[in-house]
């Protein structure tokens, strides 16, 4: 609102200065025909009032209505009509101010020139106003489009994150239900862990990146819950140096990847499985690699398998406009997901 008011004041100031310059020029021209400064100034003042009103009217109309491509002829007609009205106003007003017969004769002889100059002034005003307001409308449209795209992107990011939670939440609640009967202490501990995890999830915002250290703290909460579910079968290895811990990444990015690794690593096996998470920095990128073993006979992970990986790919595209930040590899019985996070 403040910027709009400042702009409006600047436009009014420019309009006033332009009117004064026009009036001064007209005064000088009339004086050069042999009339004294009083008559020249009187003519200029009387002529400037209807001309300023006409320019204000055309500018005010164009502020709220821009003619289409087929309607410019209407704008031309309006300029002609307003120029004629200004000329007639001067023609009938000046004789009442006792300016003398010589000046009245000069006034009548200069009507055509006055009509032409009035048309030029109003036409220039119309053209400048039209160009100005069209540009302002384009800027407003671009701003609205950008805001709409931002809202749509935020809504999609939010939707992607929300789709990641129910599966994990239902499994956790089922595990808590199973623990209540014979391991109530474990059930209470799992409830506290789940509460901390969900509280951290709700506080996250995709527009504000977090450090890898903070992301790993949140991931450990998730892994603690999963270890209650799977017991000794789930082992984890997390390795990264101190430099990596300061790298930034979108929040809650690792949990769905690790969840995907647990799904394909543990669901089809009965033995102990180790999920490894390794991070390093390389060429202004944070590289995070998640590996899990899998049985090729019972589990056939493919590129983009599961909503977790597809959701991560979509999130990274929405945030960085790139489709090359997620890669998957299969080597013997190890499945690897690697994500690259650009570091600004």
């Amino acid at each position: 609102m403040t910027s709009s008011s400042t702009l409006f004041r600047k436009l009014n100031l420019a309009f006033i200065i332009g009117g004064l310059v026009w009036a001064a020029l007209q005064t000088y021209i009339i004086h050069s025909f042999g009339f004294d400064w009083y008559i020249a100034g009187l003519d200029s003042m009387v002529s400037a009032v209807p001309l300023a009103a006409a320019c204000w009217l055309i500018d005010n109309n164009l502020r709220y209505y821009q003619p289409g491509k087929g309607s410019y002829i209407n704008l031309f007609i309006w300029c002609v009509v307003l120029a004629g009205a200004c000329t007639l106003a001067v023609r009938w007003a000046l004789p009442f101010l006792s300016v003398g017969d010589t000046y009245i004769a000069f006034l009548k002889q200069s009507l055509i020139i006055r009509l032409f100059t009035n048309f030029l002034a109003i036409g220039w005003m119309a053209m400048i106003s039209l160009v100005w307001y069209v540009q302002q409308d384009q800027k407003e449209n671009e701003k609205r489009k950008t805001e709409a795209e931002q809202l749509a992107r935020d809504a999609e990011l939010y939707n992607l994150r929300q789709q990641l939670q129910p599966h994990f939440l239902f499994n956790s609640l089922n595990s808590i239900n199973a623990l209540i009967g014979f391991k109530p202490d474990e059930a209470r501990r799992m409830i506290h862990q789940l509460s901390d995890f969900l509280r951290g999830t709700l506080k996250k915002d995709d527009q504000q990146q977090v450090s890898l250290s903070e992301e790993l703290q949140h991931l450990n909460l998730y892994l603690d819950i999963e270890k209650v579910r799977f017991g000794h079968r789930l082992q984890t290895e997390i390795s990264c140096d101190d430099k990596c811990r300061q790298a930034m990444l979108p929040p809650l990015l690792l949990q769905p990847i690790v969840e995907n690794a647990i799904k394909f690593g543990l669901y089809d096996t009965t033995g102990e499985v180790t999920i490894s998470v390794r991070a390093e920095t390389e060429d202004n990128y944070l590289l995070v690699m998640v590996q899990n073993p899998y049985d090729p006979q019972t589990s056939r992970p493919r590129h983009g398998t599961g909503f977790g990986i597809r959701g991560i790919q979509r999130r990274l595209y929405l945030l960085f406009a790139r489709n090359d930040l997620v890669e998957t590899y299969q080597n013997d019985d190890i499945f690897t997901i690697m994500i690259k996070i650009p570091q600004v």
Side-chain angles (χ1 to χ4, degrees):
M1 180 65 72
T2 303
S3 60
S4 299
S5 301
T6 302
L7 179 61
F8 185 72
R9 286 196 297 267
K10 289 181 178 180
L11 289 175
N12 285 337
L13 181 61
F15 184 78
I16 293 172
I17 292 175
L20 292 175
V21 171
W22 182 275
L25 180 61
Q26 184 172 337
T27 300
Y28 176 78
I29 291 174
I30 294 175
H31 176 70
S32 66
F33 279 93
F35 298 99
D36 58 36
W37 288 106
Y38 170 76
I39 293 179
L42 191 63
D43 181 300
S44 176
M45 182 180 65
V46 173
S47 300
V49 172
L51 182 60
C55 289
W56 177 85
L57 180 63
I58 203 78
D59 175 77
N60 193 63
N61 286 338
L62 290 174
R63 180 181 304 175
Y64 302 104
Y65 167 74
Q66 281 88 43
K69 292 182 178 180
S71 303
Y72 289 121
I73 186 63
N74 294 334
L75 182 60
F76 176 82
I77 292 173
W78 268 106
C79 290
V80 172
V81 170
L82 289 173
C86 292
T87 304
L88 289 176
V90 172
R91 167 65 182 83
W92 294 108
L94 282 173
F96 290 99
L97 300 178
S98 302
V99 291
D101 295 336
T102 303
Y103 179 76
I104 292 176
F106 168 78
L107 175 62
K108 293 178 180 179
Q109 292 173 358
S110 63
L111 288 178
I112 298 299
I113 296 177
R114 291 172 184 270
L115 175 63
F116 181 72
T117 54
N118 286 338
F119 173 76
L120 284 180
I122 296 172
W124 273 105
M125 187 68 193
M127 184 177 67
I128 293 172
S129 298
L130 183 62
V131 172
W132 173 265
Y133 291 123
V134 166
Q135 289 181 344
Q136 292 299 111
D137 283 349
Q138 289 177 346
K139 289 180 181 179
E140 287 296 325
N141 289 336
E142 287 296 325
K143 182 179 179 181
R144 286 193 294 269
K145 181 180 178 182
T146 301
E147 290 177 351
E149 290 175 350
Q150 180 69 35
L151 288 173
R153 190 182 72 168
D154 291 346
E156 184 172 357
L157 285 169
Y158 178 79
N159 185 54
L160 285 170
R161 283 176 48 187
Q162 293 304 109
Q163 291 182 57
L164 295 172
Q165 298 303 327
H167 175 72
F168 161 70
L169 182 59
F170 293 150
N171 286 338
S172 299
L173 292 176
N174 287 333
S175 298
I176 292 172
N177 183 59
L179 289 171
I180 289 175
F182 63 97
K183 291 184 178 180
D185 292 337
E186 288 287 334
R188 282 194 294 270
R189 185 166 68 90
M190 190 171 181
I191 290 174
H192 288 303
Q193 292 170 336
L194 181 60
S195 175
D196 292 338
F197 176 82
L198 294 178
R199 186 181 298 109
T201 300
L202 294 174
K203 291 180 180 179
K204 303 300 181 182
D205 180 2
D206 274 294
Q207 303 307 315
Q208 296 181 353
Q209 295 191 349
V210 299
S211 66
L212 178 61
S213 177
E214 184 178 349
E215 180 74 359
L216 290 178
Q217 289 178 4
H218 192 76
L219 178 63
N220 283 326
L221 283 174
Y222 165 75
L223 290 174
D224 288 341
I225 297 171
E226 291 294 77
K227 287 177 181 178
V228 174
R229 290 180 58 208
F230 294 104
H232 70 280
R233 291 182 56 212
L234 175 60
Q235 301 295 322
T236 59
E237 294 179 355
I238 300 177
S239 61
C240 65
D241 55 30
D242 292 336
K243 183 179 179 181
C244 284
R245 290 182 177 275
Q246 303 306 315
M248 306 300 290
L249 73 164
L252 305 178
L253 195 69
L254 299 184
Q255 182 258 320
I257 298 177
V258 174
E259 182 177 359
N260 188 80
I262 292 173
K263 173 182 177 182
F264 287 99
L266 273 80
Y267 282 16
D268 295 314
T269 62
T270 57
E272 182 177 301
V273 170
T274 300
I275 307 296
S276 67
V277 180
R278 296 201 300 271
E280 61 184 36
T281 56
E282 180 181 317
D283 297 331
N284 292 323
Y285 285 94
L286 170 65
L287 305 181
V288 180
M289 185 165 55
V290 179
Q291 292 182 317
N292 65 274
Y294 75 101
D295 186 351
Q297 302 299 322
T298 60
S299 177
R300 299 180 180 275
R302 300 179 300 275
H303 180 73
T305 298
F307 177 80
I309 300 179
R310 288 187 288 107
I312 292 301
Q313 288 175 325
R314 183 59 180 167
R315 279 186 66 192
L316 292 177
Y317 173 75
L318 290 172
L319 291 170
F320 300 104
R322 291 179 56 178
N323 282 315
D324 61 339
L325 300 179
V326 179
E327 299 176 2
T328 59
Y329 306 97
Q330 302 167 44
N331 184 16
D332 295 332
D333 60 347
I334 299 297
F335 183 68
T336 302
I337 302 174
M338 186 173 70
I339 60 172
K340 299 187 295 184
I341 310 299
Q343 300 297 296
V344 180

